[in-house]
Amino acid sequence: VVLKIIKHYQEEGQGNEVVQGVLLGLVVDDRLEITNCFPFPQHTEDDADFDEVQYQMEMMRSLRHVNIDHLHVGWYQSTYYGSFVTRALLDSQFSYQHAIEESVVLIYDPIKTAQGSLSLKAYRLTPKLMEVCKEKDFSPEALKKANIAYENMFEEVPIVIKNSYLINVMLWELEKKSAVADRHELLSLASSNHLGKSLQLLMDRVDEMSQDIVKYNTYLRNVSKQQQQKHQYQQRRQQENMQRQSRGEAPLPEEDINKLFKPPQPPARMESLLIAGQINTYCQNIKEFNAQNLGKLFMAQALQDYNN
């Protein structure tokens, strides 16, 4: 499955292009075994008649005919510098997990993998977030009541990769044919482009968070302003009723003040949580990047001392 995902990205993924596909497998005791996968085909606007659901059903039916695991257990997608905490991923994973409880999403990072270590992580939506998504209420009050923060939106599932003997043999053959002439190239610290790109994406998300905070502060000011207007209106009504009472007149009829002063619509907070989660992901990536470079530095120094 891992090799198929990597192959799919190498064939169809270009730059920040995201590739996606279906995961197939079965549940054994408390484990989810992912044993097969197939990609979503790339289609353009000209393929308006293409039906993804029908395509998936036909693929699963064909796999069942040749006695290959065909049960739907989730999906996978590639990521560009760790940019995967999005509303699209949230909605897709909710749909999968709502229909198939054990569904996971595998996130493959080709840029990290190209640096020498496989980057593959599995995520699920937490039960709290599933309940909020079912209600479709992303107001500040609903998220506060559910105690949802960016830290408890997704849960990472540990991955264990098992290869068959034939796959291990093939990997050894690929390693022998590797184009890397000098293994010490993996210790190179010349990766400032990666750090610079990660920092740029981080700053973009921080700017988005800043804009979202401005919108929320504007909403709070409007609420406060409306509360003052309601209070002033009630005071005027009360004074007028007192004057009418002193003249022996009937008080003014009761009015629904909420109809006169419609409360401003609170901004949805889910986007803010997703941005915060993405910022956290970028920070973790930069932290890992710095730790790897520090390890490379120590290893390069050790090799130099050994050679001396």
Side-chain angles (χ1 to χ4, degrees):
V1 172
V2 177
L3 292 176
K4 284 184 177 181
I5 293 174
I6 295 173
K7 183 172 181 286
H8 182 197
Y9 177 80
Q10 289 180 342
E11 290 179 347
E12 298 187 6
Q14 297 178 359
N16 58 354
E17 187 75 21
V18 172
V19 299
Q20 298 176 332
V22 175
L23 298 175
L24 306 172
L26 65 160
V27 178
V28 180
D29 298 329
D30 59 348
R31 302 190 314 275
L32 176 64
E33 295 191 359
I34 301 173
T35 57
N36 199 6
C37 68
F38 61 85
F40 290 144
Q42 295 280 13
H43 54 275
T44 61
E45 296 178 356
D46 298 333
D47 304 326
D49 297 333
F50 180 78
D51 188 342
E52 277 194 3
V53 176
Q54 183 64 27
Y55 170 79
Q56 292 182 41
M57 296 301 295
E58 290 179 0
M59 283 292 296
M60 293 164 69
R61 192 179 300 113
S62 300
L63 292 171
R64 185 175 65 227
H65 287 334
V66 293
N67 201 26
I68 294 177
D69 292 335
H70 61 280
L71 298 180
H72 210 151
V73 294
W75 60 297
Y76 70 84
Q77 82 163 40
S78 63
T79 181
Y80 179 68
Y81 285 96
S83 304
F84 64 89
V85 185
T86 62
R87 186 60 182 269
L89 180 133
L90 175 67
D91 293 340
S92 296
Q93 181 57 25
F94 170 74
S95 299
Y96 274 94
Q97 208 165 316
H98 182 64
I100 307 170
E101 186 178 357
E102 57 271 5
S103 294
V104 299
V105 54
L106 285 183
I107 303 295
Y108 167 63
D109 192 328
I111 297 175
K112 278 188 179 180
T113 301
Q115 294 177 348
S117 60
L118 174 65
S119 179
L120 191 70
K121 294 185 178 182
Y123 292 98
R124 286 170 50 82
L125 302 186
T126 59
K128 287 183 179 180
L129 187 58
M130 286 293 295
E131 290 299 323
V132 172
C133 290
K134 286 178 184 177
E135 298 295 331
K136 296 183 179 179
D137 184 4
F138 304 123
S139 64
E141 292 76 13
L143 295 179
K144 183 178 180 180
K145 182 179 178 181
N147 195 23
I148 294 290
Y150 71 87
E151 299 96 333
N152 56 9
M153 293 175 63
F154 297 92
E155 57 182 355
E156 185 176 351
V157 182
I159 296 176
V160 177
I161 299 176
K162 295 186 178 182
N163 289 334
S164 68
Y165 295 119
L166 290 177
I167 292 295
N168 286 332
V169 170
M170 186 187 74
L171 291 176
W172 278 106
E173 290 295 325
L174 289 175
E175 187 175 5
K176 289 180 181 179
K177 298 176 181 178
S178 174
V180 180
D182 185 3
R183 298 296 177 182
H184 294 171
E185 288 182 11
L186 294 175
L187 300 179
S188 173
L189 300 180
S191 50
S192 59
N193 289 339
H194 177 77
L195 179 60
K197 187 64 178 177
S198 298
L199 288 172
Q200 182 62 51
L201 291 169
L202 174 60
M203 289 188 292
D204 292 342
R205 288 295 178 273
V206 171
D207 287 341
E208 291 179 11
M209 175 63 76
S210 177
Q211 294 172 8
D212 201 72
I213 290 173
V214 170
K215 292 179 183 178
Y216 188 67
N217 287 336
T218 302
Y219 159 74
L220 293 178
R221 285 196 298 270
N222 290 337
V223 170
S224 177
K225 183 178 179 180
Q226 190 184 72
Q227 290 295 335
Q228 292 178 358
Q229 292 174 347
K230 287 169 67 175
H231 183 66
Q232 293 172 358
Y233 177 80
Q234 288 173 333
Q235 283 185 331
R236 288 196 303 269
R237 293 272 296 184
Q238 186 177 5
Q239 291 175 359
E240 190 171 350
N241 279 333
M242 290 175 63
Q243 293 174 359
R244 291 173 69 91
Q245 186 178 5
S246 65
R247 295 194 299 264
E249 299 176 358
L252 294 172
E254 293 290 336
E255 292 181 337
D256 188 354
I257 197 168
N258 290 326
K259 290 184 178 179
L260 295 174
F261 297 91
K262 291 185 179 180
Q265 190 69 22
R269 303 301 292 161
M270 182 54 69
E271 293 298 332
S272 300
L273 289 179
L274 291 170
I275 293 172
Q278 188 59 68
I279 288 174
N280 182 63
T281 301
Y282 287 143
C283 291
Q284 291 294 332
N285 288 347
I286 293 172
K287 182 179 177 182
E288 292 175 7
F289 170 81
N290 290 334
Q292 289 174 358
N293 268 358
L294 188 60
K296 289 179 180 180
L297 191 62
F298 284 138
M299 182 62 72
Q301 184 63 47
L303 285 172
Q304 184 177 357
D305 294 343
Y306 176 78
N307 290 333
N308 291 339

